[in-house]
Amino acid sequence: MNFLRGVMGGQQTPGAQPSGAETIQKLCDRVASSTLLDDRRDAVRALKSLSKKYRLEVGTQAMDHLLNVLQTDRSDSEIIGYALDTLYNIVSNEAEETEENQQVQTDDLGVQFTEMFIKQQENVTLLLSILEEFDFHVRWPAVKLLTTLLKQQGPQVQQIVLVSPMGVSRLMDLLDDSREVIRNDGLLLLQQLTKSNAAIQKIVAFENAFERLLDIITEEGNSDGGIVVEDCLLLLQSLLKYNNSNQNFFKEGSYIQRMKTWFEVGDDNSGWSAQKVTNLHLMLQLVRVLVSPANPPGATSSCQKSMSQCGLLQQLCTILMATGVPADILTETINTVSEVIRGNQINQDYFASVNAPSNPPRPAIVVLLISMVNEKQPFVLRCAVLYCFQCFLYKNQKGQGEIVATLLPSTIDASSLSAGQLLCGGLFSTDSLSNWCAAVALAHSLLENSTQKEQLLRVQLATSIGNPPVSLLQQCTNILSQGSKVQARVGLLMLLCTWLTNCPIAVTHFLHNPANVPFLTAQISENLGEEEQLVQGLCALLLGICIHYNDNSLENNTKDKLKQLIEKRIGKENFTEKLGFITKHEYYSKAAQKPQPSFTSPDHMMFDHEFTKLIKELEVVIIKTIYKSSEEDKKEEEEKKSLEQHDNIISHYKSVIREQDTQLEELKQVVSTLQMKNEQFQATVSQQLAQIQQHKDQYNVLKVQLGKDSQHHISHNNAQMNGFQAEEVNRLKEEIEELKKQQGVLQEELSQKNALIDNLKHSQVDGQTEQVAGIFEQAALSQKELETLRSQLHVQSMEINRLQTERTELLQKIEDNAPAVASGDHTIPTACKNNEFEEKIATLMQEIVGLKEELKTVSEERSSLRQQLDSANSTAAILQEEKVKLEQDLSDSKKEQDDLLVLLADQDQKISGLKRQLKELGQTIEDEDDDDDLDCEDVGDEDDEEDEEEHNDLGSEEEN
């Protein structure tokens, strides 16, 4: 301990005081050799106190000893804390020196010591295991040390943590620490850990980082929170930026909905703190990360949809129209809204419906455009408004039409300020930046929209009192020829190039002014300074567009004449060189990087991002057009016209086929309806069959019961037959006669029913054959039963006749032998014969009674079957009529389709024959229009007349 007192400044003579290196060496020996924990702890504490002043010496001599202490003395948290603090002082660059050269040396020293520390990967793994200690004096220095290691050698330490078991999970546990210091430093550690490492970012995200960070932001008060909220937002940006997997996970986890509460700003927006401005700025940037144009289109569209559904877009528009919002927050909000609506039709429509809280209310687009064309507004705000307007019109033909409509004469409202009026005002303003912004905004109203390019040709401007109105196209060329600032001319040329691209009518209007082509050739052929090279290149681009999209409707400015003019006045090589000035300029390269206009100063604002893509498409095409011969142009025109004719024929065939498809769909619906009705009828028939089966069962039950009753009746009759008399025989004869009559009636009914069954057999319908056939089978069975009964009746009748004959003979014998009977000679034989006869009669009576009952039951059953057959017959007739009608419709449709196919084949043969005849005759199709003073509609009408005349000529040749 005396030794330590001397080291720490004890009373010793100056000559005997050891140097810093010697003291550190002795302390290191003490740490390595001392057996007492207290001595080692004191030595480490001494090294800690010297580590800042003697950083180099402590780092070179004590690092290994300190690492050994971390391994061997884990049970003592105090010595571990001293060792971690010492290592932190060695590798960190928080030096006390203020001179610049000493600071550079300190930075290099920290990097070197970090490399020494991570050279053995076990050291980083050991540090991760120490993070599991809950003691504040151990965990906090470990967090700071690991954060410093990541700052010095980030990729190397990230790789070690990535391969370490449970390494990332241990670091994520820091966010759950109840001590705010450790939690906050843990946020800084995770920021360094996730920087530019997608693999670790994914692991951290799946460790429930989003949930934890959003909870911390909510606990801290959202945008009103302190620097902890800022750290959480920075970590969220690190996890989501350029990481599509994490962005998708964030969206699917419904975390976008939780962002809405961040932007709930009250009515009183005065007195915003600097921290709140920073927090809200980071929150807006986080929203932009999810909907950035650099993301895959599908992911961006999905996030835009979620933001609209949860009300986040509505909340951002509320901030956009609120008063008292700081300028930088307002600018960033405009940029955020821009990317939330970019390319999403639903969001763009909602933004178009937003009104500013003014009196009277004005659309948000109009309010923003007022700021864009106002030269007193900040430059960054005007750029943000331009970007917002571009995003509103991106892939939004509906919005483009609404903007252009505000300029048309039929829709102009003089009482209100419209977007079109603001753009025209900015286009002809004295401020060059307003000229450029208005020109670019108007060009975005025309991008990939030929309809609006033609509509914009109708716009007329009143230049001065007493002078006739001038078209917007003419006014743009007039201002261009007056020689304004370079920025304004570049904007007007970009507007004209966008307007004329892929619009021959606009090219014709532009060339109709005799001063335009000489102006362009003069600009291109002159040798001007470097600032004018952009103007020369854009003039060359505009002239090339006039050549490539020229329909040769003006005799003095056809493709061939313009190419000859370039060759004589400018030269093809010089023209190509001037055209190449555009893509070689640094302003072009900056604008081509991303859609958002980002310029350091207004003077650098020259090119628009969408226009750079247009230049890339047109440059090669224009050069090919300039060097192409007139014969090749004619050949291309012929091929183009033939392709157009072919396309027209195909479109006609497509329309015919589309109509047929519609008819087929309707017929399919009718068939499906009939099928449903058929199923209903089948269900009805099945129900009827079930009822018939039920009746048959009831019949069988009744038959059994009647059999029992008849047996009882026969036994009773047998008891009465013993006293047989002649009156009873007569009664039997009468009954037999009645039975014969009933038999005749039954035969007639049977013949009628047979005829009815034959008629039903001939009228059965497809789809109900099985059901009706079942009824027929049951009717046939009933018929067989009746035949059987009839045969039985016939046999019984014959037997009754025979018995009657025998009875008569027997009575005669009885009368002849009456004296003998009286004397008692023949009593026994007569009694025997009489008994036999009575038994036969009783048997016959029993059978007759049974047959009567069966005939009655069968008759009832046949009447029921007849009713059911009548119902089935009516149903079958209805279905038969519907089937015949449907088959007729189908046959008509097939016949029409076959006729159309035959016509199509004949027309194709005629076209090929006509083309072959034209080639054999050597005829060519030429335009013979009167090109002096024709507008666009006249040109179209004359082309149609020529096409009709050519078609008639070809038809007459074919007939010859």
Side-chain angles (χ1 to χ4, degrees):
M1 297 301 292
N2 293 330
F3 170 75
L4 290 175
R5 292 191 187 95
V7 171
M8 299 304 294
Q11 295 179 356
Q12 294 185 7
T13 59
Q17 185 175 6
S19 63
E22 293 175 352
T23 303
I24 293 169
Q25 181 62 44
K26 291 178 181 179
L27 290 173
C28 291
D29 293 340
R30 188 83 172 186
V31 172
S33 60
S34 179
T35 58
L36 295 176
L37 179 60
D38 293 339
D39 292 344
R40 293 198 304 274
R41 187 189 304 117
D42 292 338
V44 173
R45 183 169 59 246
L47 288 173
K48 173 190 172 183
S49 62
L50 297 173
S51 59
K52 289 186 177 181
K53 185 175 181 180
Y54 299 99
R55 182 181 178 190
L56 178 61
E57 292 79 1
V58 174
T60 54
Q61 297 182 32
M63 181 174 288
D64 293 337
H65 299 292
L66 294 173
L67 292 172
N68 189 36
V69 167
L70 294 178
Q71 292 177 349
T72 57
D73 294 329
R74 288 286 298 273
S75 59
D76 186 66
S77 60
E78 190 175 358
I79 192 172
I80 295 295
Y82 292 151
L84 291 172
D85 285 334
T86 306
L87 289 171
Y88 170 75
N89 292 335
I90 293 172
V91 300
S92 66
N93 293 324
E94 296 178 359
E96 296 179 357
E97 292 83 2
T98 56
E99 295 182 5
E100 184 177 356
N101 58 347
Q102 290 178 344
Q103 184 65 39
V104 173
Q105 292 178 1
T106 304
D107 293 343
D108 295 338
L109 195 60
V111 174
Q112 292 175 5
F113 284 135
T114 302
E115 291 176 352
M116 291 174 58
F117 185 89
I118 66 174
K119 189 174 183 180
Q120 299 293 329
Q121 294 187 7
E122 294 80 5
N123 296 335
V124 180
T125 306
L126 176 63
L127 189 58
L128 291 173
S129 65
I130 292 175
L131 282 173
E132 294 182 349
E133 298 291 337
F134 187 74
D135 190 282
F136 179 80
H137 297 288
V138 175
R139 202 172 200 185
W140 188 38
V143 171
K144 293 193 297 182
L145 176 58
L146 187 56
T147 304
T148 304
L149 295 176
L150 285 167
K151 288 180 180 179
Q152 302 291 351
Q153 295 290 334
Q156 293 84 349
V157 179
Q158 285 175 340
Q159 191 62 32
I160 296 172
V161 174
L162 192 60
V163 300
S164 177
M166 300 296 292
V168 178
S169 299
R170 291 169 179 171
L171 298 179
M172 287 298 299
D173 291 339
L174 298 174
L175 297 181
D176 297 330
D177 200 306
S178 59
R179 294 159 293 193
E180 292 187 1
V181 176
I182 295 179
R183 184 197 67 181
N184 298 343
D185 285 349
L187 289 171
L188 301 177
L189 171 60
L190 290 172
Q191 288 179 22
Q192 297 296 328
L193 179 67
T194 57
K195 188 178 294 184
S196 303
N197 192 308
I200 293 180
Q201 290 170 1
K202 292 179 182 179
I203 296 173
V204 171
F206 282 100
E207 288 285 343
N208 204 21
F210 294 141
E211 185 75 27
R212 297 180 183 182
L213 292 174
L214 291 175
D215 288 341
I216 294 173
I217 293 174
T218 303
E219 293 172 1
E220 295 292 326
N222 294 326
S223 61
D224 294 324
I227 195 171
V228 178
V229 174
E230 178 182 351
D231 293 336
C232 291
L233 293 171
L234 290 173
L235 180 55
L236 284 172
Q237 284 192 21
S238 178
L239 293 174
L240 294 173
K241 200 169 187 178
Y242 308 123
N243 195 317
N244 298 327
S245 175
N246 281 1
Q247 290 176 8
N248 188 43
F249 181 68
F250 189 85
K251 177 187 69 67
E252 291 180 352
S254 301
Y255 297 118
I256 293 179
Q257 288 80 344
R258 297 185 60 178
M259 299 170 68
K260 179 185 176 183
T261 57
W262 295 353
F263 305 102
E264 293 178 354
V265 179
D267 297 333
D268 186 11
N269 294 320
S270 60
W272 286 38
S273 64
Q275 187 62 54
K276 182 175 182 179
V277 172
T278 302
N279 291 343
L280 201 54
H281 196 273
L282 291 173
M283 290 172 178
L284 292 169
Q285 287 183 347
L286 189 61
V287 175
R288 294 185 63 185
V289 167
L290 297 172
V291 293
S292 172
N295 296 339
T300 300
S301 176
S302 180
C303 291
Q304 288 173 336
K305 183 179 178 181
S306 298
M307 292 177 182
S308 175
Q309 291 177 347
C310 72
L312 180 58
L313 175 60
Q314 292 84 334
Q315 202 69 41
L316 292 174
C317 291
T318 301
I319 297 177
L320 194 66
M321 295 291 103
T323 57
V325 179
D328 52 349
I329 295 298
L330 181 60
T331 303
E332 190 64 22
T333 303
I334 295 173
N335 290 327
T336 305
V337 171
S338 304
E339 295 183 351
V340 173
I341 68 174
R342 187 176 188 268
N344 188 291
Q345 186 66 51
I346 297 176
N347 294 358
Q348 288 168 339
D349 292 342
Y350 172 76
F351 182 72
S353 65
V354 175
N355 289 323
S358 59
N359 191 13
R362 285 180 177 176
I365 298 174
V366 173
V367 176
L368 293 176
L369 289 178
I370 292 174
S371 301
M372 187 186 73
V373 297
N374 187 357
E375 57 183 317
K376 296 181 180 180
Q377 293 293 337
F379 172 66
V380 291
L381 179 62
R382 300 175 73 180
C383 290
V385 173
L386 176 61
Y387 183 48
C388 184
F389 191 75
Q390 291 173 348
C391 292
F392 169 68
L393 297 179
Y394 182 72
K395 294 183 179 180
N396 184 9
Q397 293 190 353
K398 178 182 177 183
Q400 290 175 329
E402 292 174 352
I403 297 299
V404 175
T406 59
L407 289 168
L408 299 178
S410 58
T411 58
I412 291 179
D413 186 5
S415 61
S416 62
L417 193 63
S418 65
Q421 295 173 3
L422 289 170
L423 291 178
C424 283
L427 195 63
F428 309 126
S429 172
T430 57
D431 179 30
S432 60
L433 183 59
S434 298
N435 300 151
W436 191 91
C437 291
V440 171
L442 198 56
H444 275 261
S445 302
L446 307 175
L447 273 176
E448 300 179 359
N449 197 329
S450 300
T451 304
Q452 303 309 322
K453 291 178 182 179
E454 296 176 6
Q455 289 291 325
L456 202 63
L457 294 173
R458 298 170 48 202
V459 177
Q460 300 289 325
L461 302 176
T463 55
S464 59
I465 300 174
N467 294 327
V470 180
S471 66
L472 178 62
L473 182 65
Q474 182 63 42
Q475 185 66 13
C476 290
T477 56
N478 292 340
I479 296 175
L480 188 64
S481 61
Q482 292 175 2
S484 56
K485 292 184 179 179
V486 174
Q487 188 179 38
R489 283 183 287 163
V490 168
L492 289 172
L493 286 170
M494 286 195 297
L495 172 60
L496 291 174
C497 290
T498 305
W499 195 345
L500 271 59
T501 299
N502 200 19
C503 186
I505 299 175
V507 173
T508 303
H509 278 258
F510 181 80
L511 295 177
H512 189 69
N513 187 352
N516 289 338
V517 174
F519 169 76
L520 293 178
T521 54
Q523 289 287 321
I524 300 169
S525 59
E526 290 182 4
N527 293 323
L528 302 175
E530 184 177 356
E531 293 183 355
E532 297 290 335
Q533 287 182 352
L534 280 180
V535 178
Q536 287 184 310
L538 290 173
C539 288
L541 179 66
L542 182 59
L543 185 57
I545 292 172
C546 292
I547 296 173
H548 181 68
Y549 294 103
N550 194 336
D551 58 359
N552 295 326
S553 58
L554 295 177
E555 185 178 0
N556 296 330
N557 289 314
T558 60
K559 282 187 178 181
D560 293 338
K561 291 184 178 180
L562 290 177
K563 286 194 287 187
Q564 292 174 6
L565 181 64
I566 289 176
E567 190 172 0
K568 293 178 181 179
R569 293 284 306 273
I570 303 172
K572 293 182 180 180
E573 292 78 8
N574 189 23
F575 179 86
T576 306
E577 182 182 0
K578 296 295 177 66
L579 186 61
F581 284 163
I582 302 175
T583 55
K584 294 177 183 178
H585 205 282
E586 61 176 347
Y587 293 156
Y588 174 87
S589 301
K590 290 182 179 179
Q593 292 177 1
K594 57 182 180 179
Q596 182 182 0
S598 56
F599 305 99
T600 56
S601 67
D603 297 335
H604 297 166
M605 207 168 185
M606 289 294 179
F607 284 110
D608 173 58
H609 176 76
E610 293 296 329
F611 187 73
T612 59
K613 295 194 292 186
L614 183 64
I615 293 173
K616 195 176 293 184
E617 295 175 0
L618 291 176
E619 184 178 9
V620 179
V621 176
I622 289 174
I623 293 174
K624 286 183 180 180
T625 303
I626 295 299
Y627 284 93
K628 197 177 296 181
S629 63
S630 59
E631 295 179 355
E632 292 176 347
D633 286 338
K634 291 180 179 179
K635 186 177 180 180
E636 280 190 0
E637 288 180 1
E638 292 177 359
E639 291 178 354
K640 186 176 180 181
K641 289 184 177 180
S642 62
L643 288 174
E644 288 178 355
Q645 293 177 356
H646 182 65
D647 291 339
N648 292 333
I649 294 172
I650 290 175
S651 62
H652 175 67
Y653 291 164
K654 285 181 178 179
S655 62
V656 172
I657 293 172
R658 196 176 294 111
E659 291 177 358
Q660 291 179 350
D661 290 338
T662 304
Q663 294 177 357
L664 287 175
E665 288 295 331
E666 293 176 354
L667 291 175
K668 287 179 180 179
Q669 292 178 359
V670 173
V671 170
S672 62
T673 303
L674 292 177
Q675 287 177 350
M676 292 175 62
K677 290 183 178 179
N678 189 17
E679 291 175 357
Q680 294 175 358
F681 293 145
Q682 288 178 355
T684 303
V685 172
S686 62
Q687 290 177 359
Q688 292 176 353
L689 290 174
Q691 292 176 359
I692 292 171
Q693 184 63 36
Q694 184 179 3
H695 293 322
K696 288 180 68 177
D697 295 339
Q698 293 177 358
Y699 163 72
N700 293 329
V701 172
L702 292 173
K703 187 176 181 181
V704 173
Q705 294 177 355
L706 289 172
K708 293 180 180 179
D709 295 339
S710 63
Q711 290 178 1
H712 178 72
H713 182 68
I714 289 169
S715 62
H716 180 70
N717 289 334
N718 289 333
Q720 293 179 352
M721 287 300 293
N722 295 326
F724 180 76
Q725 298 177 0
E727 295 177 355
E728 295 179 355
V729 173
N730 294 329
R731 183 175 54 80
L732 288 174
K733 289 181 180 179
E734 292 176 355
E735 289 179 357
I736 288 170
E737 292 296 331
E738 290 178 357
L739 288 174
K740 288 181 179 180
K741 292 179 182 179
Q742 291 178 0
Q743 182 181 358
V745 173
L746 288 174
Q747 287 178 352
E748 291 179 359
E749 291 181 356
L750 184 60
S751 61
Q752 293 176 0
K753 290 177 180 178
N754 289 334
L756 178 61
I757 290 170
D758 292 336
N759 293 330
L760 288 173
K761 285 181 179 179
H762 290 296
S763 63
Q764 45 185 324
V765 183
D766 295 341
Q768 293 191 351
T769 304
E770 296 179 359
Q771 290 77 0
V772 179
I775 298 174
F776 290 154
E777 289 176 0
Q778 293 177 2
L781 292 175
S782 300
Q783 182 180 356
K784 289 180 181 179
E785 291 177 358
L786 288 173
E787 292 291 340
T788 304
L789 291 173
R790 185 171 63 184
S791 61
Q792 291 177 359
L793 285 172
H794 180 68
V795 172
Q796 295 296 335
S797 298
M798 292 177 64
E799 183 67 20
I800 289 171
N801 292 330
R802 186 181 63 80
L803 289 174
Q804 285 179 348
T805 303
E806 292 179 357
R807 177 74 172 181
T808 304
E809 293 175 354
L810 182 60
L811 290 173
Q812 186 65 36
K813 287 180 181 181
I814 291 170
E815 291 176 356
D816 294 339
N817 296 325
V821 172
S823 61
D825 292 337
H826 302 284
T827 305
I828 296 173
T830 302
C832 292
K833 291 182 180 180
N834 200 8
N835 291 334
E836 290 177 357
F837 182 77
E838 288 175 355
E839 289 176 359
K840 290 181 180 180
I841 291 296
T843 303
L844 290 174
M845 289 296 294
Q846 181 179 357
E847 291 177 356
I848 289 170
V849 171
L851 290 174
K852 283 182 178 182
E853 295 295 332
E854 289 179 0
L855 284 173
K856 182 178 180 182
T857 305
V858 170
S859 177
E860 293 175 356
E861 183 178 356
R862 288 298 298 270
S863 62
S864 176
L865 288 174
R866 183 173 182 179
Q867 292 178 357
Q868 294 176 4
L869 285 173
D870 291 337
S871 176
N873 186 18
S874 62
T875 302
I878 294 171
L879 289 176
Q880 181 68 20
E881 291 177 359
E882 292 179 350
K883 178 188 173 186
V884 170
K885 183 179 179 181
L886 181 60
E887 288 177 349
Q888 182 65 32
D889 293 339
L890 287 174
S891 63
D892 294 340
S893 178
K894 289 180 180 178
K895 184 177 179 182
E896 290 177 1
Q897 189 171 3
D898 294 337
D899 295 339
L900 286 174
L901 291 175
V902 171
L903 290 174
L904 293 177
D906 293 340
Q907 192 167 2
D908 288 336
Q909 292 178 0
K910 288 180 181 179
I911 291 171
S912 60
L914 291 174
K915 288 182 179 179
R916 187 166 57 254
Q917 290 178 6
L918 287 173
K919 290 181 180 179
E920 291 174 359
L921 295 173
Q923 293 183 1
T924 58
I925 302 172
E926 296 180 355
D927 293 334
E928 297 179 355
D929 302 331
D930 188 9
D931 302 330
D932 294 331
D933 297 317
L934 296 178
D935 57 3
C936 307
E937 297 178 354
D938 295 335
V939 172
D941 296 335
E942 289 178 4
D943 288 341
D944 294 337
E945 293 175 1
E946 289 177 2
D947 291 340
E948 292 178 0
E949 292 176 358
E950 290 174 1
H951 182 69
N952 295 330
D953 294 340
L954 293 177
S956 61
E957 289 177 3
E958 183 181 4
E959 292 177 357
N960 294 330

